[in-house]
Amino acid sequence: VAVSDKSYNPDDASKNQRKKVPKSAEERKKINNKLRSNFLFEHLTDEGREELVDVVTEKQFTKDTTIIKQGDSGDYFYIVEEGTCDIF
């Protein structure tokens, strides 16, 4: 299981209304903790992290699925909740 969201450009924030995805308090806490511990997001305010948590969606992958390969555009940020991923 992984969670992700499309890439985000702050300059586009006023143009696009982000769709909030319902989550339990436990799910919100897990995602928030993962974002807080990642160097890409550690500088965000609590409010900024909560905005990201609001829009994160869950994606599930089966074994041996290629999630992204070198050279592809990085459209999503993934948090691996369960299982492992090989990086080549």
Side-chain angles (χ1 to χ4, degrees):
V1 175
V3 293
S4 66
D5 191 36
K6 290 185 177 185
S7 57
Y8 172 72
N9 180 348
D11 295 333
D12 294 337
S14 61
K15 300 175 195 170
N16 299 319
Q17 192 71 338
R18 292 181 299 274
K19 181 180 176 188
K20 291 185 179 183
V21 179
K23 294 171 194 66
S24 69
E26 181 180 337
E27 290 171 317
R28 294 185 69 79
K29 183 177 178 181
K30 282 182 188 180
I31 296 166
N32 203 329
N33 288 340
K34 292 293 185 180
L35 293 175
R36 182 178 286 131
S37 67
N38 185 288
F39 75 96
L40 294 172
F41 304 105
E42 64 187 6
H43 70 284
L44 291 176
T45 63
D46 289 343
E47 182 181 328
R49 261 191 317 279
E50 287 298 323
E51 286 182 22
L52 286 176
V53 171
D54 284 344
V55 298
V56 168
T57 60
E58 182 175 315
K59 291 183 179 260
Q60 295 191 14
F61 299 94
T62 58
K63 184 178 179 178
D64 297 325
T65 298
T66 300
I67 297 171
I68 189 170
K69 63 183 178 187
Q70 188 169 349
D72 286 352
S73 294
D75 291 346
Y76 295 93
F77 175 81
Y78 292 94
I79 300 171
V80 178
E81 182 179 20
E82 183 180 314
T84 60
C85 292
D86 292 324
I87 301 169
F88 300 103

